[in-house]
Coordinates of all heavy atoms in Angstrom, one line a residue:
M18 N 15.5 -8.5 -12.5 CA 14.7 -8.4 -11.3 C 15.5 -8.9 -10.1 O 16.2 -9.8 -10.2 CB 13.5 -9.3 -11.5 CG 12.4 -9.1 -10.4 SD 10.9 -10.1 -10.7 CE 10.2 -9.2 -12.0
A19 N 15.4 -8.2 -9.0 CA 16.1 -8.5 -7.8 C 15.3 -8.3 -6.6 O 14.4 -7.5 -6.6 CB 17.4 -7.6 -7.7
F20 N 15.6 -9.1 -5.6 CA 14.9 -8.9 -4.3 C 15.4 -7.7 -3.5 O 16.6 -7.4 -3.4 CB 15.1 -10.2 -3.4 CG 14.5 -10.1 -2.0 CD1 13.1 -10.2 -1.9 CD2 15.2 -9.8 -0.9 CE1 12.5 -10.0 -0.7 CE2 14.6 -9.7 0.3 CZ 13.3 -9.8 0.5
H21 N 14.4 -6.9 -3.1 CA 14.7 -5.7 -2.2 C 14.0 -5.9 -0.9 O 12.8 -5.9 -0.8 CB 14.2 -4.5 -2.9 CG 14.8 -4.2 -4.3 ND1 16.0 -3.5 -4.5 CD2 14.4 -4.6 -5.5 CE1 16.2 -3.5 -5.8 NE2 15.3 -4.1 -6.4
A22 N 14.8 -6.1 0.2 CA 14.2 -6.1 1.5 C 13.7 -4.8 1.9 O 14.4 -3.8 1.7 CB 15.3 -6.6 2.5
L23 N 12.5 -4.7 2.4 CA 11.9 -3.5 2.8 C 11.8 -3.3 4.3 O 12.0 -2.2 4.8 CB 10.5 -3.4 2.2 CG 10.3 -3.4 0.7 CD1 8.9 -3.5 0.3 CD2 11.0 -2.2 0.1
E24 N 11.5 -4.3 5.0 CA 11.3 -4.2 6.4 C 11.4 -5.5 7.2 O 11.2 -6.6 6.5 CB 9.8 -3.6 6.7 CG 9.5 -3.3 8.1 CD 10.4 -2.3 8.7 OE1 11.5 -2.6 9.3 OE2 10.1 -1.1 8.7
K25 N 11.8 -5.5 8.4 CA 11.8 -6.7 9.2 C 10.4 -7.0 9.6 O 9.6 -6.1 10.0 CB 12.7 -6.5 10.5 CG 14.2 -6.3 10.1 CD 15.0 -6.4 11.4 CE 16.5 -6.2 11.1 NZ 17.0 -7.0 10.0
L26 N 10.0 -8.3 9.5 CA 8.7 -8.7 9.9 C 8.3 -8.2 11.3 O 7.1 -7.9 11.5 CB 8.5 -10.2 9.7 CG 8.5 -10.7 8.3 CD1 8.6 -12.2 8.3 CD2 7.3 -10.2 7.6
I27 N 9.2 -8.3 12.2 CA 9.0 -7.9 13.6 C 8.5 -6.5 13.7 O 7.8 -6.1 14.7 CB 10.2 -8.2 14.5 CG1 9.8 -8.3 15.9 CG2 11.3 -7.2 14.2 CD1 10.9 -8.9 16.8
N28 N 8.8 -5.6 12.8 CA 8.4 -4.2 12.8 C 7.1 -3.9 12.3 O 6.5 -2.8 12.4 CB 9.5 -3.4 12.1 CG 10.8 -3.4 12.8 OD1 10.9 -3.6 14.0 ND2 11.9 -3.1 12.1
L29 N 6.5 -4.9 11.6 CA 5.1 -4.7 11.0 C 4.0 -4.8 12.1 O 4.1 -5.7 12.9 CB 4.9 -5.7 9.9 CG 5.7 -5.5 8.6 CD1 5.3 -6.6 7.6 CD2 5.4 -4.1 8.0
Q30 N 3.1 -3.9 12.0 CA 1.9 -3.9 12.9 C 0.8 -3.1 12.2 O 1.1 -2.3 11.3 CB 2.3 -3.3 14.3 CG 2.7 -1.9 14.2 CD 3.2 -1.4 15.5 OE1 2.9 -1.9 16.5 NE2 4.0 -0.3 15.5
D31 N -0.4 -3.4 12.6 CA -1.5 -2.6 12.0 C -1.3 -1.1 12.2 O -0.8 -0.7 13.2 CB -2.8 -3.0 12.6 CG -3.3 -4.4 12.1 OD1 -2.6 -5.0 11.3 OD2 -4.4 -4.8 12.5
G32 N -1.5 -0.4 11.1 CA -1.2 1.0 11.1 C 0.1 1.4 10.5 O 0.4 2.6 10.3
Y33 N 1.0 0.3 10.3 CA 2.3 0.6 9.7 C 2.2 1.2 8.3 O 1.3 0.8 7.5 CB 3.1 -0.7 9.6 CG 4.4 -0.6 9.0 CD1 5.6 -0.5 9.8 CD2 4.6 -0.5 7.6 CE1 6.9 -0.3 9.2 CE2 5.8 -0.4 7.0 CZ 7.0 -0.3 7.8 OH 8.2 -0.2 7.2
K34 N 3.0 2.2 8.0 CA 3.0 2.8 6.7 C 4.3 3.5 6.4 O 4.8 4.3 7.3 CB 1.9 3.9 6.6 CG 1.7 4.5 5.3 CD 0.5 5.4 5.3 CE 0.5 6.4 6.4 NZ 0.2 7.8 6.1
R35 N 5.0 3.1 5.4 CA 6.3 3.6 5.1 C 6.6 3.6 3.6 O 6.3 2.6 2.9 CB 7.4 2.8 5.8 CG 8.8 3.4 5.6 CD 9.8 2.7 6.5 NE 11.1 3.1 6.1 CZ 12.3 2.4 6.4 NH1 12.2 1.3 7.1 NH2 13.4 2.8 6.0
A36 N 7.0 4.7 3.1 CA 7.3 4.9 1.6 C 8.7 4.5 1.3 O 9.6 4.7 2.1 CB 7.0 6.3 1.2
F37 N 8.9 4.0 0.1 CA 10.2 3.6 -0.4 C 10.3 3.9 -1.9 O 9.3 4.0 -2.5 CB 10.4 2.1 -0.3 CG 10.3 1.5 1.1 CD1 9.1 1.1 1.6 CD2 11.5 1.3 1.9 CE1 9.0 0.6 2.9 CE2 11.4 0.8 3.1 CZ 10.2 0.4 3.6
K38 N 11.6 4.1 -2.3 CA 11.8 4.2 -3.8 C 12.6 3.0 -4.1 O 13.8 2.9 -3.7 CB 12.5 5.5 -4.1 CG 12.5 5.7 -5.6 CD 13.0 7.1 -6.0 CE 12.7 7.4 -7.4 NZ 11.6 8.3 -7.6
I39 N 12.1 2.1 -4.9 CA 12.8 0.8 -5.2 C 12.8 0.7 -6.7 O 11.8 0.7 -7.4 CB 12.0 -0.4 -4.7 CG1 11.8 -0.3 -3.2 CG2 12.7 -1.7 -5.0 CD1 13.0 -0.4 -2.3
A40 N 14.0 0.5 -7.3 CA 14.2 0.4 -8.7 C 13.5 1.5 -9.5 O 12.9 1.2 -10.5 CB 13.8 -1.0 -9.1
G41 N 13.5 2.7 -9.0 CA 12.9 3.8 -9.6 C 11.4 3.9 -9.4 O 10.8 4.8 -10.0
Q42 N 10.8 3.1 -8.6 CA 9.4 3.1 -8.4 C 9.1 3.6 -7.0 O 9.7 3.1 -6.0 CB 8.8 1.7 -8.6 CG 9.0 1.2 -10.0 CD 7.8 0.3 -10.4 OE1 6.7 0.6 -10.2 NE2 8.1 -0.9 -10.9
D43 N 8.1 4.5 -6.9 CA 7.7 4.9 -5.6 C 6.6 3.9 -5.1 O 5.6 3.8 -5.7 CB 7.1 6.3 -5.7 CG 8.2 7.4 -5.9 OD1 9.2 7.3 -5.2 OD2 8.0 8.2 -6.8
V44 N 6.9 3.3 -4.0 CA 6.0 2.3 -3.4 C 5.7 2.7 -1.9 O 6.5 3.4 -1.3 CB 6.5 0.9 -3.5 CG1 6.6 0.5 -5.0 CG2 7.8 0.7 -2.8
I45 N 4.7 2.1 -1.4 CA 4.4 2.3 0.0 C 4.0 1.0 0.6 O 3.1 0.3 0.1 CB 3.4 3.5 0.2 CG1 3.3 3.8 1.7 CG2 2.0 3.2 -0.4 CD1 2.6 5.2 2.0
L46 N 4.6 0.6 1.7 CA 4.3 -0.6 2.4 C 3.4 -0.2 3.6 O 3.7 0.7 4.4 CB 5.6 -1.2 3.0 CG 5.5 -2.5 3.8 CD1 4.9 -3.7 3.0 CD2 6.8 -2.9 4.4
V47 N 2.2 -0.9 3.6 CA 1.3 -0.7 4.7 C 0.8 -2.0 5.3 O 1.0 -3.0 4.7 CB 0.0 0.1 4.2 CG1 0.4 1.4 3.6 CG2 -0.8 -0.7 3.3
Q48 N 0.3 -1.9 6.5 CA -0.3 -3.1 7.1 C -1.6 -2.7 7.8 O -1.6 -1.7 8.6 CB 0.6 -3.8 8.1 CG -0.1 -5.1 8.7 CD 0.8 -6.0 9.4 OE1 1.8 -6.4 8.9 NE2 0.4 -6.3 10.7
E49 N -2.6 -3.5 7.6 CA -3.9 -3.3 8.3 C -4.6 -4.6 8.4 O -4.4 -5.5 7.5 CB -4.8 -2.3 7.5 CG -5.9 -1.7 8.3 CD -5.5 -1.1 9.7 OE1 -4.8 -0.2 9.7 OE2 -5.9 -1.7 10.7
N50 N -5.3 -4.9 9.4 CA -6.0 -6.2 9.7 C -5.0 -7.3 9.6 O -5.4 -8.4 9.2 CB -7.1 -6.4 8.7 CG -8.4 -5.6 9.0 OD1 -8.5 -5.0 10.1 ND2 -9.3 -5.6 8.1
G51 N -3.8 -7.1 10.1 CA -2.8 -8.2 10.1 C -2.2 -8.5 8.8 O -1.5 -9.5 8.7
R52 N -2.5 -7.8 7.7 CA -2.0 -8.1 6.4 C -1.2 -7.0 5.8 O -1.7 -5.8 5.8 CB -3.2 -8.4 5.4 CG -3.9 -9.7 5.8 CD -4.5 -10.3 4.6 NE -3.6 -10.5 3.5 CZ -3.9 -10.8 2.3 NH1 -5.2 -10.9 1.9 NH2 -3.0 -10.9 1.4
P53 N 0.0 -7.3 5.4 CA 0.8 -6.2 4.7 C 0.4 -6.1 3.2 O 0.1 -7.1 2.6 CB 2.2 -6.8 4.9 CG 2.1 -8.2 5.0 CD 0.7 -8.5 5.5
Y54 N 0.6 -4.9 2.7 CA 0.3 -4.7 1.3 C 1.4 -3.7 0.8 O 1.8 -2.8 1.5 CB -1.0 -4.0 1.1 CG -2.2 -4.8 1.6 CD1 -2.7 -4.6 2.9 CD2 -2.9 -5.7 0.8 CE1 -3.8 -5.3 3.4 CE2 -4.0 -6.4 1.2 CZ -4.4 -6.2 2.6 OH -5.5 -6.9 3.0
L55 N 1.9 -4.0 -0.4 CA 2.8 -3.0 -1.0 C 2.1 -2.4 -2.2 O 1.6 -3.1 -3.1 CB 4.0 -3.8 -1.5 CG 5.1 -2.8 -2.1 CD1 5.7 -1.9 -1.0 CD2 6.3 -3.6 -2.6
L56 N 1.9 -1.1 -2.2 CA 1.2 -0.3 -3.2 C 2.1 0.6 -3.9 O 3.0 1.1 -3.4 CB 0.1 0.5 -2.5 CG -0.8 -0.2 -1.4 CD1 -1.6 0.9 -0.7 CD2 -1.7 -1.2 -2.1
A57 N 1.7 0.9 -5.2 CA 2.3 2.0 -5.9 C 1.9 3.3 -5.0 O 0.8 3.4 -4.6 CB 1.8 2.1 -7.3
N58 N 2.9 4.2 -4.8 CA 2.6 5.3 -4.0 C 2.0 6.4 -4.8 O 2.5 7.5 -4.8 CB 3.9 5.8 -3.3 CG 3.6 6.7 -2.1 OD1 2.4 7.0 -1.8 ND2 4.6 7.1 -1.4
T59 N 0.9 6.1 -5.4 CA 0.1 7.0 -6.2 C -1.3 6.8 -6.1 O -1.8 5.7 -6.4 CB 0.6 6.9 -7.7 OG1 2.0 7.0 -7.8 CG2 -0.1 7.9 -8.6
C60 N -2.1 7.8 -5.8 CA -3.5 7.6 -5.7 C -4.1 7.5 -7.1 O -3.8 8.3 -8.0 CB -4.2 8.7 -5.0 SG -6.0 8.7 -4.9
P61 N -5.0 6.5 -7.4 CA -5.5 6.4 -8.8 C -6.4 7.6 -9.1 O -6.7 7.7 -10.3 CB -6.4 5.1 -8.7 CG -5.8 4.3 -7.5 CD -5.3 5.4 -6.5
H62 N -6.8 8.4 -8.2 CA -7.7 9.5 -8.5 C -6.9 10.6 -9.3 O -7.2 10.8 -10.4 CB -8.3 10.1 -7.2 CG -9.2 11.3 -7.5 ND1 -9.2 12.4 -6.7 CD2 -10.2 11.5 -8.4 CE1 -10.1 13.2 -7.1 NE2 -10.7 12.7 -8.2
M63 N -6.0 11.3 -8.6 CA -5.3 12.3 -9.2 C -3.8 12.2 -9.0 O -3.1 13.2 -9.2 CB -5.8 13.7 -8.8 CG -7.2 14.0 -9.3 SD -7.9 15.5 -8.8 CE -6.9 16.6 -9.8
G64 N -3.3 11.1 -8.7 CA -1.9 10.8 -8.6 C -1.1 11.4 -7.4 O 0.1 11.4 -7.4
V65 N -1.8 11.8 -6.4 CA -1.2 12.3 -5.2 C -0.5 11.1 -4.5 O -1.0 10.0 -4.5 CB -2.2 13.0 -4.3 CG1 -1.6 13.4 -3.0 CG2 -2.8 14.2 -5.0
S66 N 0.6 11.3 -3.8 CA 1.2 10.2 -3.1 C 0.4 9.9 -1.9 O -0.4 10.7 -1.4 CB 2.6 10.6 -2.6 OG 2.6 11.2 -1.3
L67 N 0.5 8.6 -1.4 CA -0.3 8.1 -0.3 C 0.4 8.3 1.0 O 0.0 7.7 2.0 CB -0.7 6.7 -0.5 CG -1.5 6.4 -1.8 CD1 -1.6 4.9 -2.1 CD2 -2.9 7.1 -1.6
N68 N 1.5 9.1 1.0 CA 2.3 9.3 2.3 C 1.4 9.8 3.4 O 1.6 9.4 4.6 CB 3.4 10.3 2.1 CG 4.5 9.8 1.2 OD1 4.5 8.6 0.9 ND2 5.4 10.6 0.8
S69 N 0.4 10.6 3.2 CA -0.4 11.2 4.2 C -1.8 10.5 4.3 O -2.6 10.9 5.0 CB -0.6 12.7 4.1 OG -1.4 12.9 2.9
A70 N -1.9 9.4 3.6 CA -3.2 8.6 3.6 C -3.4 8.0 5.0 O -2.4 7.8 5.8 CB -3.2 7.5 2.6
T71 N -4.6 7.7 5.3 CA -5.0 7.1 6.6 C -5.4 5.7 6.4 O -6.3 5.4 5.5 CB -6.2 8.0 7.2 OG1 -5.8 9.3 7.3 CG2 -6.6 7.4 8.6
L72 N -4.9 4.8 7.2 CA -5.3 3.4 7.2 C -6.5 3.3 8.2 O -6.5 3.8 9.3 CB -4.2 2.5 7.7 CG -3.0 2.5 6.7 CD1 -1.8 1.8 7.4 CD2 -3.4 1.7 5.5
L73 N -7.5 2.6 7.7 CA -8.7 2.4 8.5 C -8.9 0.9 8.9 O -8.5 0.0 8.1 CB -9.9 2.9 7.7 CG -9.9 4.3 7.2 CD1 -11.0 4.6 6.2 CD2 -9.9 5.3 8.4
P74 N -9.4 0.7 10.1 CA -9.4 -0.7 10.5 C -10.2 -1.7 9.7 O -10.1 -2.9 9.8 CB -10.0 -0.6 12.0 CG -10.3 0.8 12.2 CD -9.9 1.6 11.0
Q75 N -11.1 -1.2 8.8 CA -11.9 -2.1 8.0 C -11.1 -2.6 6.8 O -11.7 -3.2 5.9 CB -13.1 -1.4 7.4 CG -14.0 -0.7 8.5 CD -13.6 0.7 8.8 OE1 -12.5 1.1 8.7 NE2 -14.6 1.5 9.3
G76 N -9.8 -2.4 6.8 CA -9.0 -2.8 5.7 C -9.0 -1.8 4.5 O -8.9 -2.2 3.3
L77 N -9.2 -0.6 4.9 CA -9.3 0.5 3.8 C -8.1 1.5 4.0 O -7.5 1.6 5.1 CB -10.6 1.3 4.0 CG -11.9 0.5 4.0 CD1 -13.1 1.4 4.3 CD2 -12.1 -0.2 2.7
I78 N -7.8 2.2 2.9 CA -6.9 3.3 3.0 C -7.6 4.5 2.4 O -8.3 4.4 1.3 CB -5.6 3.0 2.3 CG1 -4.6 4.1 2.5 CG2 -5.8 2.7 0.8 CD1 -3.1 3.7 2.0
R79 N -7.6 5.6 3.1 CA -8.2 6.8 2.6 C -7.2 7.8 2.2 O -6.3 8.2 3.0 CB -9.1 7.4 3.7 CG -9.8 8.8 3.3 CD -10.3 9.6 4.4 NE -11.3 8.9 5.2 CZ -11.3 8.8 6.5 NH1 -10.3 9.3 7.2 NH2 -12.2 8.1 7.1
C80 N -7.2 8.2 0.9 CA -6.3 9.2 0.4 C -6.9 10.6 1.0 O -8.0 10.9 0.7 CB -6.3 9.2 -1.1 SG -5.3 10.6 -1.8
N81 N -6.0 11.3 1.6 CA -6.5 12.5 2.3 C -6.5 13.7 1.3 O -7.0 14.8 1.7 CB -5.7 12.8 3.5 CG -6.1 11.8 4.6 OD1 -7.2 11.4 4.8 ND2 -5.1 11.4 5.4
A82 N -6.1 13.5 0.1 CA -6.2 14.7 -0.8 C -7.7 15.0 -1.1 O -8.1 16.2 -1.1 CB -5.5 14.3 -2.2
H83 N -8.5 14.0 -1.4 CA -9.9 14.2 -1.6 C -10.8 13.3 -0.9 O -12.0 13.2 -1.1 CB -10.2 14.2 -3.1 CG -9.3 15.1 -3.9 ND1 -8.3 14.6 -4.6 CD2 -9.3 16.4 -4.1 CE1 -7.6 15.6 -5.2 NE2 -8.3 16.7 -4.9
G84 N -10.3 12.5 0.0 CA -11.1 11.6 0.9 C -11.6 10.3 0.3 O -12.4 9.6 0.9
I85 N -11.1 9.9 -0.9 CA -11.6 8.7 -1.5 C -10.9 7.5 -0.7 O -9.7 7.5 -0.4 CB -11.2 8.6 -3.0 CG1 -12.0 9.7 -3.7 CG2 -11.6 7.3 -3.6 CD1 -11.7 9.9 -5.2
E86 N -11.7 6.5 -0.4 CA -11.3 5.3 0.3 C -11.1 4.2 -0.7 O -12.0 4.0 -1.6 CB -12.2 4.9 1.4 CG -12.3 6.0 2.5 CD -13.3 5.8 3.5 OE1 -14.1 4.8 3.4 OE2 -13.4 6.5 4.5
F87 N -10.1 3.4 -0.5 CA -9.9 2.2 -1.3 C -9.8 1.0 -0.4 O -9.2 1.0 0.7 CB -8.5 2.4 -2.1 CG -8.5 3.5 -3.1 CD1 -8.2 4.8 -2.6 CD2 -8.8 3.3 -4.4 CE1 -8.2 5.8 -3.6 CE2 -8.8 4.3 -5.3 CZ -8.5 5.6 -4.9
D88 N -10.3 -0.2 -0.9 CA -10.2 -1.4 -0.2 C -8.8 -2.0 -0.5 O -8.4 -2.2 -1.7 CB -11.3 -2.4 -0.8 CG -11.3 -3.7 0.0 OD1 -10.3 -4.5 -0.2 OD2 -12.3 -3.9 0.7
L89 N -8.0 -2.3 0.6 CA -6.7 -2.7 0.4 C -6.6 -4.1 -0.3 O -5.7 -4.4 -1.1 CB -6.0 -2.8 1.7 CG -5.6 -1.4 2.3 CD1 -5.2 -1.6 3.7 CD2 -4.4 -0.8 1.5
E90 N -7.6 -4.9 0.0 CA -7.6 -6.3 -0.6 C -7.9 -6.3 -2.1 O -7.2 -6.9 -2.9 CB -8.6 -7.2 0.2 CG -8.5 -8.6 0.0 CD -7.1 -9.2 0.4 OE1 -6.6 -8.7 1.4 OE2 -6.6 -10.0 -0.3
S91 N -8.9 -5.6 -2.5 CA -9.3 -5.6 -3.9 C -8.6 -4.5 -4.7 O -8.6 -4.5 -5.9 CB -10.8 -5.5 -4.1 OG -11.3 -4.2 -3.6
G92 N -8.3 -3.4 -4.0 CA -7.7 -2.2 -4.6 C -8.7 -1.3 -5.1 O -8.4 -0.2 -5.6
R93 N -10.0 -1.7 -5.0 CA -11.1 -0.9 -5.6 C -11.5 0.3 -4.7 O -11.4 0.3 -3.5 CB -12.4 -1.7 -5.8 CG -12.2 -2.7 -6.9 CD -13.6 -3.2 -7.4 NE -13.4 -4.4 -8.1 CZ -13.6 -5.6 -7.6 NH1 -14.1 -5.8 -6.4 NH2 -13.4 -6.7 -8.4
A94 N -11.8 1.4 -5.4 CA -12.3 2.6 -4.7 C -13.7 2.4 -4.2 O -14.5 1.6 -4.9 CB -12.3 3.8 -5.7
L95 N -14.1 3.0 -3.1 CA -15.5 3.0 -2.7 C -16.1 4.3 -3.0 O -15.5 5.3 -3.3 CB -15.5 2.8 -1.1 CG -14.7 1.6 -0.6 CD1 -14.8 1.6 1.0 CD2 -15.1 0.3 -1.2
G96 N -17.5 4.3 -3.0 CA -18.2 5.5 -3.2 C -18.5 5.8 -4.6 O -18.4 5.0 -5.5
P97 N -19.1 7.0 -4.9 CA -19.7 7.3 -6.2 C -18.7 7.3 -7.4 O -19.1 7.1 -8.5 CB -20.2 8.7 -6.0 CG -19.6 9.3 -4.7 CD -19.2 8.1 -3.9
L98 N -17.4 7.5 -7.1 CA -16.4 7.5 -8.2 C -15.8 6.1 -8.5 O -15.0 5.9 -9.4 CB -15.3 8.5 -7.9 CG -15.6 9.9 -7.9 CD1 -14.4 10.8 -7.6 CD2 -16.2 10.4 -9.2
S99 N -16.3 5.1 -7.7 CA -15.6 3.8 -7.8 C -15.6 3.2 -9.2 O -14.6 2.6 -9.5 CB -16.3 2.8 -6.8 OG -17.7 2.7 -7.2
S100 N -16.6 3.4 -9.9 CA -16.6 2.7 -11.3 C -15.7 3.5 -12.3 O -15.4 3.0 -13.3 CB -18.0 2.6 -11.8 OG -18.6 3.9 -12.0
M101 N -15.3 4.7 -11.9 CA -14.6 5.5 -12.8 C -13.1 5.5 -12.6 O -12.3 6.0 -13.4 CB -15.0 7.0 -12.8 CG -16.5 7.2 -13.2 SD -17.3 8.7 -12.6 CE -16.1 9.9 -13.1
L102 N -12.7 4.9 -11.4 CA -11.3 5.0 -11.0 C -10.6 3.6 -11.2 O -11.2 2.6 -11.1 CB -11.1 5.4 -9.5 CG -11.6 6.8 -9.2 CD1 -11.4 7.0 -7.7 CD2 -10.8 7.8 -9.9
E103 N -9.3 3.7 -11.6 CA -8.5 2.5 -11.6 C -8.4 2.0 -10.1 O -8.5 2.7 -9.2 CB -7.1 2.8 -12.1 CG -7.1 3.4 -13.5 CD -7.3 2.3 -14.6 OE1 -6.7 1.2 -14.4 OE2 -7.9 2.6 -15.5
C104 N -8.0 0.7 -10.0 CA -7.7 0.2 -8.7 C -6.3 0.6 -8.3 O -5.5 1.0 -9.1 CB -7.7 -1.4 -8.8 SG -9.3 -2.1 -9.0
L105 N -6.1 0.5 -7.0 CA -4.7 0.7 -6.4 C -3.8 -0.3 -7.1 O -4.2 -1.5 -7.3 CB -4.6 0.4 -4.9 CG -5.4 1.4 -4.0 CD1 -5.4 0.7 -2.6 CD2 -4.7 2.7 -3.9
Q106 N -2.6 0.1 -7.5 CA -1.6 -0.8 -8.0 C -0.9 -1.5 -6.9 O -0.3 -0.9 -6.0 CB -0.6 -0.1 -9.0 CG 0.3 -1.1 -9.6 CD 1.4 -0.4 -10.4 OE1 1.4 0.8 -10.5 NE2 2.3 -1.2 -11.0
K107 N -1.0 -2.8 -6.9 CA -0.3 -3.6 -5.8 C 0.8 -4.4 -6.3 O 0.8 -4.9 -7.5 CB -1.4 -4.5 -5.1 CG -2.5 -3.7 -4.5 CD -3.3 -4.5 -3.4 CE -4.0 -5.6 -4.0 NZ -4.8 -6.3 -3.0
F108 N 1.8 -4.7 -5.5 CA 2.9 -5.5 -5.8 C 2.9 -6.7 -4.9 O 2.5 -6.6 -3.7 CB 4.2 -4.8 -5.6 CG 4.4 -3.6 -6.5 CD1 3.9 -2.3 -6.1 CD2 5.0 -3.7 -7.8 CE1 4.0 -1.2 -7.0 CE2 5.1 -2.6 -8.6 CZ 4.6 -1.3 -8.2
E109 N 3.4 -7.8 -5.4 CA 3.4 -9.1 -4.6 C 4.6 -9.0 -3.6 O 5.7 -8.7 -4.0 CB 3.6 -10.3 -5.5 CG 3.4 -11.6 -4.7 CD 3.5 -12.8 -5.7 OE1 3.3 -12.6 -6.9 OE2 3.7 -13.9 -5.2
L110 N 4.3 -9.2 -2.4 CA 5.3 -9.2 -1.3 C 6.0 -10.5 -1.3 O 5.4 -11.6 -1.5 CB 4.7 -8.8 0.0 CG 4.4 -7.3 0.2 CD1 3.4 -7.1 1.3 CD2 5.7 -6.5 0.4
V111 N 7.3 -10.5 -0.9 CA 8.1 -11.7 -0.8 C 8.6 -11.8 0.6 O 9.1 -10.8 1.1 CB 9.2 -11.7 -1.9 CG1 10.1 -12.9 -1.7 CG2 8.7 -11.6 -3.3
Y112 N 8.5 -13.0 1.2 CA 9.1 -13.2 2.5 C 10.4 -13.8 2.4 O 10.6 -14.8 1.7 CB 8.1 -14.0 3.3 CG 6.8 -13.4 3.6 CD1 5.7 -13.4 2.7 CD2 6.6 -12.6 4.8 CE1 4.5 -12.7 2.9 CE2 5.4 -12.0 5.1 CZ 4.4 -12.1 4.1 OH 3.2 -11.4 4.4
D113 N 11.4 -13.3 3.1 CA 12.7 -13.9 3.1 C 13.3 -13.9 4.5 O 13.8 -12.8 4.9 CB 13.6 -13.0 2.1 CG 15.0 -13.6 2.0 OD1 15.2 -14.8 2.0 OD2 16.0 -12.8 1.9
G114 N 13.2 -15.0 5.1 CA 13.6 -15.1 6.5 C 12.9 -14.0 7.4 O 11.7 -14.0 7.4
P115 N 13.7 -13.2 8.1 CA 13.1 -12.2 9.0 C 12.6 -11.0 8.2 O 12.1 -10.1 8.9 CB 14.2 -11.9 9.9 CG 15.5 -12.0 9.1 CD 15.2 -13.2 8.2
N116 N 12.8 -10.9 6.9 CA 12.4 -9.7 6.2 C 11.2 -9.9 5.2 O 10.9 -11.0 4.8 CB 13.6 -9.3 5.3 CG 14.8 -8.9 6.2 OD1 14.7 -8.2 7.1 ND2 16.0 -9.5 5.8
I117 N 10.6 -8.8 4.9 CA 9.6 -8.8 3.9 C 10.1 -7.8 2.8 O 10.7 -6.8 3.1 CB 8.2 -8.4 4.4 CG1 7.1 -8.6 3.4 CG2 8.2 -7.0 4.9 CD1 5.7 -8.6 4.0
G118 N 9.9 -8.1 1.5 CA 10.4 -7.3 0.5 C 9.6 -7.5 -0.8 O 8.5 -8.0 -0.8
V119 N 10.3 -7.2 -1.9 CA 9.6 -7.3 -3.2 C 10.7 -7.6 -4.3 O 11.9 -7.2 -4.1 CB 8.9 -6.0 -3.5 CG1 9.9 -4.8 -3.7 CG2 8.1 -6.1 -4.8
D120 N 10.3 -8.3 -5.3 CA 11.2 -8.6 -6.4 C 10.8 -7.5 -7.5 O 9.7 -7.5 -8.0 CB 10.9 -10.0 -7.0 CG 11.6 -11.0 -6.1 OD1 12.6 -10.8 -5.6 OD2 11.0 -12.1 -6.1
L121 N 11.8 -6.6 -7.8 CA 11.5 -5.6 -8.8 C 12.8 -5.5 -9.7 O 13.9 -5.7 -9.2 CB 11.2 -4.2 -8.2 CG 9.8 -4.0 -7.7 CD1 9.6 -2.6 -7.1 CD2 8.8 -4.2 -8.9
Ligands
FES212 S1 -5.8 12.3 -5.3 FE1 -6.4 10.7 -3.9 S2 -8.4 11.1 -3.5 FE2 -7.9 12.6 -5.0

């Protein structure tokens, strides 16, 4: 396991979204409501990447493939399919001086 710097903290702002491939894993760094999240870049519904997903100010991310919204904090889907879907896979972010990254 090794630290991988993803972004300078100064560049993060609400609405930030950028995909990375780290240690063979597709991840996406997002920020909404002042909080950054690192997610597996795969929608739990049908596996579409979240590159074109929309961040919503309520702390949600909407996958634009079929419109399902997920709560960034809990990872849970909203709406009628919520009980049938896995949560978003999240990774713990690590702060290292001026950078934010992940240990993978
Ligand atoms: S693949 Fe994301 S909502 Fe269907």
